[in-house]
Amino acid sequence: MDALANSIVFWIGLMLLLVVVFLLPTIIGVLRGVENFALLFALNCLGGLTCIGWPAALIAAFLLPRRQDR
């Protein structure tokens, strides 16, 4: 177990995984092409640091309407 804890690859992978989980609402919003992406991104980055903001951003990523092609 000490070899894993001392491995730089493990720590880099763990940090990348945490960043991806933190930005999951933003990633979902990009993939869905939500209409008000700036609001979603701000809610994720600013409110995501709280226990209420991150779930709100995740719900918003699924509920915000998609962009219409004009």
Side-chain angles (χ1 to χ4, degrees):
M1 193 70 172
D2 285 337
L4 184 62
N6 291 331
S7 171
I8 189 71
V9 175
F10 170 74
W11 290 108
I12 290 173
L14 181 64
M15 295 306 284
L16 285 175
L17 179 68
L18 291 174
V19 167
V20 167
V21 168
F22 180 76
L23 292 176
L24 188 63
T26 300
I27 294 168
I28 292 170
V30 167
L31 293 176
R32 285 192 68 234
V34 296
E35 197 170 276
N36 202 350
F37 177 73
L39 173 68
L40 177 63
F41 183 72
L43 180 62
N44 187 193
C45 289
L46 299 175
L49 298 174
T50 67
C51 293
I52 297 172
W54 190 87
L58 188 62
I59 292 169
F62 286 111
L63 294 181
L64 284 174
R66 292 181 180 203
R67 266 189 298 245
Q68 300 292 330
D69 293 330
R70 295 175 195 233

